[in-house]
Amino acid sequence: MLEQAGKQVQASDYAEWIASAPMAVQQKAMSEDPQLRKEWDEKYGDRMIKLVFIGQKLDKEKIARELDACLTDI
């Protein structure tokens, strides 16, 4: 996990991806967590980036457009 507020930055371990666990563990986790099942990607599993911006008067559409422009399909 990477957190930044102004000049303060902190990086730490967060958790292991369920997608890297054995299939039995993946199935158990998805049966216990409906949100995990909802967000699961067929190719990447639960390997994802969640980015949060906190601020006032942010242009959400512009931020989304500019971030989407950075995406590549590796």
Side-chain angles (χ1 to χ4, degrees):
M1 177 171 15
L2 177 67
E3 299 174 279
Q4 179 180 356
K7 293 181 180 182
Q8 182 179 355
V9 178
Q10 180 178 345
S12 61
D13 291 340
Y14 183 68
E16 292 184 18
W17 287 310
I18 301 297
S20 65
M23 186 60 66
V25 174
Q26 291 179 27
Q27 291 172 343
K28 183 175 188 285
M30 282 196 269
S31 70
E32 294 173 350
D33 185 352
Q35 188 64 29
L36 175 63
R37 193 175 332 111
K38 180 181 175 184
E39 294 178 349
W40 193 264
D41 181 86
E42 288 300 315
K43 184 174 181 180
Y44 299 107
D46 61 335
R47 296 176 183 105
M48 65 183 75
I49 296 171
K50 293 184 178 184
L51 185 60
V52 177
F53 291 89
I54 300 172
Q56 297 178 0
K57 300 178 184 174
L58 300 176
D59 186 340
K60 182 179 177 180
E61 289 77 22
K62 181 179 178 186
I63 292 169
R65 253 191 334 272
E66 291 188 13
L67 288 170
D68 284 345
C70 298
L71 296 175
T72 61
D73 189 21
I74 297 176

